[in-house]
């Protein structure tokens, strides 16, 4: 049985006054079996990374004081935009899938998985405190920085 | 989808628009003036708002005016924010006289307008909608108050002008049938500063939008996002202003003290961290 294994990392700039941060670069090295169409495969992986970034950095429900969801439309529920996109770098390792077409495996979902961990680790390292509850908003980073100051 | 039926009116003149509004409200109907619709349509779809009628004012020439007249910028209330930001009237100021004043004023207005919502939304979001809508931030009002803009309002009795500072007190105080037609801003070369902070992304609503405008006579400090509605203060203490302009640390303003009336009004939406709702 062949597994899809990979590793992901990010480079982040953090403003330690406001907690705002920007993901400059996101990288992924992943064993996806035989890459039949490199451009499509790259697109699939980058798409998954983008989903993971959105999930980690900005997607989340907000409740008002009555416990009602106040961001239940795309107007208020923020997802990644083009301007939020980092520079992506993707490398493939090709361990063929024995029973797959031309050695190919399904790919796309896997690149979502590593992003929350990569971003969380990078931010935690940058601010010197654990940030492991997603979405990691600028406000949360700021709160941790203020706690540190105390 | 908007889950209710409503009547749609498209007046050919400001007079007609105001008359239609008067007739509708007089007969107990709920009606709104409609231009960009970014707030109205969203609220209709979400069920937060309902109307018996909308009066489409987009086509009224006076409300889409964008011109330089003498030393004044005139902006129609139905102009989208991007039209104000990008129009050649403002971007091609190099060859005009009083270039520094025009350039400085345009830069100040643009520095605020450019931060509101996102580029796509700003193509539809109108100046009048931002000022008169129900959404509490009304960020576009900050530079307009700072520059002591004049507003032109249409009522049953015709058009009249008033300083914006007399019409705006945390929100626009317009009569039920009145229609904001245009805003006039006199150019000057005062020094401006704009800072916008959000909870997360740049396109989020502000937790703080600070705008200041200063010269030797007056310091304007305006805030949006900090409290439920925009607030501002005018400081005319010349000695204090002199020290601020000289960058003296002792002259730093305590914004909390300055806006004591706004304290306690900060919204604190909770963010579900588990993403399981």
């Amino acid at each position: 049985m062949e597994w899809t294994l990979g590793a992901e990392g990010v480079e982040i700039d953090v403003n330690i006054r406001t907690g705002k941060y920007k993901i400059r670069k996101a990288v992924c090295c992943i064993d996806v079996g035989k890459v039949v169409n490199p451009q499509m495969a790259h697109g699939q992986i980058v798409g998954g990374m983008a989903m993971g970034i959105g999930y980690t950095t900005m997607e989340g429900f907000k409740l008002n004081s009555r416990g009602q969801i106040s961001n239940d439309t795309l107007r208020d529920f923020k997802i990644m935009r083009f301007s939020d996109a980092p520079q992506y770098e993707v490398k493939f390792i090709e361990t063929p899938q024995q029973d797959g077409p031309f050695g190919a495996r399904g790919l796309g979902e896997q690149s979502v998985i590593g992003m929350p961990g990569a971003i969380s680790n990078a931010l935690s390292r940058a601010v010197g405190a654990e940030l492991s509850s997603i979405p990691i908003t600028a406000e949360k980073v700021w709160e941790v920085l203020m706690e540190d100051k105390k | 989808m908007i889950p209710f039926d409503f009547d749609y009116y498209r007046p050919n003149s400001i007079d007609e628009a105001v008359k239609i509004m008067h007739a509708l409200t007089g007969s107990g109907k709920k009606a709104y003036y409609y231009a960009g619709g970014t707030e109205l349509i969203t609220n209709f779809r979400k069920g937060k708002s309902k109307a018996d009628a909308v009066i489409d004012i987009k086509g009224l020439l006076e409300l889409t005016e964008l011109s330089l007249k003498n030393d004044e910028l005139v902006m129609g209330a139905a102009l989208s924010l991007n039209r104000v930001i990008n129009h050649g009237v403002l971007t091609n100021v190099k060859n005009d006289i009083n270039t520094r004043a025009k350039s400085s004023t345009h830069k100040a207005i643009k520095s605020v307008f450019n931060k509101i919502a996102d580029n796509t939304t700003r193509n539809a979001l109108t100046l009048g909608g931002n000022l008169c809508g129900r959404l509490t931030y009304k960020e576009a009002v900050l530079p307009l108050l700072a520059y002591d803009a004049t507003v032109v309002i249409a009522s049953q009795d015709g058009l009249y002008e008033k300083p914006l500072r007399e019409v705006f007190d945390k929100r626009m105080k317009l009569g039920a049938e009145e229609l904001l037609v245009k805003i006039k801003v006199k150019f000057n070369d005062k020094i401006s500063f704009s800072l916008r902070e959000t909870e997360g992304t740049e396109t989020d609503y502000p937790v703080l939008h600070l705008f200041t405008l200063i010269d030797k006579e007056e310091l304007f400090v305006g805030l949006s996002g900090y409290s439920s509605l925009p607030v501002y203060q005018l400081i005319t203490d010349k000695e204090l202003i002199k020290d601020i302009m000289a960058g003296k640390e002792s002259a730093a303003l305590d914004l909390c003290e300055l806006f004591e009336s706004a304290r306690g009004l900060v919204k604190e939406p909770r963010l579900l961290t588990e993403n399981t709702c």
Side-chain angles (χ1 to χ4, degrees):
Chain A
M1 181 183 271
E2 289 78 31
W3 294 95
T4 298
L5 298 170
E8 291 179 309
V10 292
E11 274 179 19
I12 292 183
D13 289 342
V14 184
N15 183 322
I16 57 169
R17 186 181 63 85
T18 63
K20 281 190 162 174
Y21 62 93
K22 175 109 179 114
I23 303 174
R24 294 288 173 204
K25 195 172 176 182
V27 299
C28 174
C29 182
I30 186 165
D31 186 338
V32 294
K34 180 70 184 161
V35 176
V36 176
N37 184 323
Q39 220 169 357
M40 272 182 71
H42 183 269
Q44 284 292 103
I45 295 297
V46 164
M49 290 167 82
M51 281 180 69
I53 291 172
Y55 199 59
T56 310
T57 62
M58 60 188 75
E59 294 176 32
F61 287 112
K62 294 178 187 175
L63 304 181
N64 62 20
S65 56
R66 286 169 287 180
Q68 297 162 323
I69 296 173
S70 60
N71 62 335
D72 57 348
T73 65
L74 282 176
R75 181 191 174 112
D76 306 309
F77 187 97
K78 300 298 176 183
I79 63 174
M80 263 193 72
R81 291 168 175 268
F82 185 74
S83 55
D84 299 315
Q87 181 197 341
Y88 292 105
E89 193 175 324
V90 178
K91 300 281 182 205
F92 292 115
I93 296 170
E94 298 179 67
T95 305
Q97 179 75 18
Q98 303 256 346
D99 55 349
F102 306 105
R105 267 201 293 286
L107 64 99
E109 293 174 53
Q110 300 91 340
S111 52
V112 179
I113 299 168
M115 294 312 296
I119 295 167
S120 155
N121 286 340
L123 282 171
S124 300
R125 192 170 177 182
V127 306
E130 189 177 283
L131 282 159
S132 57
S133 173
I134 65 170
I136 307 174
T137 59
E139 191 177 9
K140 278 192 192 165
V141 177
W142 179 83
E143 280 171 354
V144 158
L145 289 166
M146 290 299 110
E147 267 305 314
D148 259 2
K149 268 192 181 168
K150 285 180 196 168
Chain B
M1 193 192 97
I2 297 173
F4 56 87
D5 292 333
F6 56 91
D7 295 330
Y8 172 85
Y9 295 87
R10 195 161 181 184
N12 292 313
S13 68
I14 293 175
D15 271 344
E16 194 184 342
V18 176
K19 279 191 177 115
I20 292 170
M21 180 61 85
H22 177 73
L24 288 167
T25 51
S27 60
K29 290 193 175 173
K30 185 141 193 190
Y32 292 99
Y33 290 118
Y34 159 71
T38 53
E39 196 178 309
L40 271 186
I41 292 176
T42 306
N43 285 338
F44 287 170
R45 283 182 179 155
K46 287 171 87 164
K48 280 188 172 179
S49 205
K50 231 180 156 182
D52 297 305
V54 296
I55 303 168
D56 190 342
I57 52 173
K58 279 197 292 296
L60 299 177
L61 282 176
E62 296 94 326
L63 273 82
T64 54
E65 179 183 351
L66 180 58
S67 61
L68 295 175
K69 283 180 180 166
N70 302 318
D71 59 348
E72 209 168 50
L73 170 65
V74 181
M75 298 175 283
L79 284 173
S80 70
L81 295 188
N82 268 354
R83 281 214 50 210
V84 176
I85 291 165
N86 298 323
H87 201 279
V89 153
L90 289 171
T91 55
N92 297 329
V93 294
K94 283 186 185 161
N95 296 325
D96 287 333
I97 56 170
N98 299 324
T99 295
R100 201 175 67 181
K102 284 191 182 122
S103 173
S104 171
T105 308
H106 171 230
K107 192 178 151 196
I109 290 173
K110 192 174 162 176
S111 73
V112 172
F113 286 16
N114 241 340
K115 294 183 178 104
I116 298 172
D118 57 71
N119 189 53
T120 306
T121 306
R122 284 196 297 272
N123 285 332
L125 204 169
T126 63
L127 191 46
N130 192 261
L131 298 180
C132 305
R134 285 165 66 174
L135 212 53
T136 59
Y137 304 100
K138 307 181 194 298
E139 295 165 81
V141 84
L142 297 175
L144 303 178
L145 285 169
Y147 281 96
D148 201 7
T150 303
V151 289
V152 178
I153 296 167
S155 70
Q156 281 274 90
D157 302 321
L159 296 179
Y160 70 93
E161 292 192 15
K162 252 190 171 178
L164 177 61
R165 289 179 186 176
E166 289 180 22
V167 179
F168 188 91
D169 177 16
K170 299 188 187 70
R171 50 166 66 89
M172 290 291 283
K173 306 283 189 196
L174 295 178
E177 296 152 11
E178 288 182 336
L179 170 65
L180 179 64
V181 176
K182 57 181 101 169
I183 301 108
K184 299 180 186 180
V185 173
K186 277 201 181 333
F187 295 118
N188 64 54
D189 57 1
K190 292 185 184 186
I191 301 166
S192 68
F193 173 74
S194 166
L195 170 71
R196 190 176 192 265
E197 298 289 356
T198 60
E199 280 179 28
T201 69
E202 279 176 6
T203 56
D204 273 337
Y205 294 126
V207 293
L208 174 76
H209 194 158
L210 170 71
F211 184 81
T212 65
L213 193 70
I214 190 168
D215 71 355
K216 286 185 285 196
E217 305 295 322
E218 183 183 90
L219 164 63
F220 171 95
V221 184
L223 287 185
S224 175
Y226 173 70
S227 60
S228 301
L229 293 158
V231 289
Y232 71 96
Q233 291 278 11
L234 294 166
I235 294 159
T236 50
D237 180 340
K238 287 188 184 162
E239 284 302 313
L240 177 58
I241 291 174
K242 196 172 152 192
D243 287 346
I244 289 171
M245 288 180 88
K248 285 189 182 173
E249 277 190 33
S250 57
L253 288 175
D254 185 331
L255 285 181
C256 288
E257 272 188 33
L258 195 61
F259 291 102
E260 197 168 326
S261 61
R263 290 170 85 181
L265 300 176
V266 178
K267 300 185 301 298
E268 287 179 297
R270 282 200 296 120
L271 191 69
L272 259 188
T273 55
E274 292 82 10
N275 273 353
T276 55
C277 188

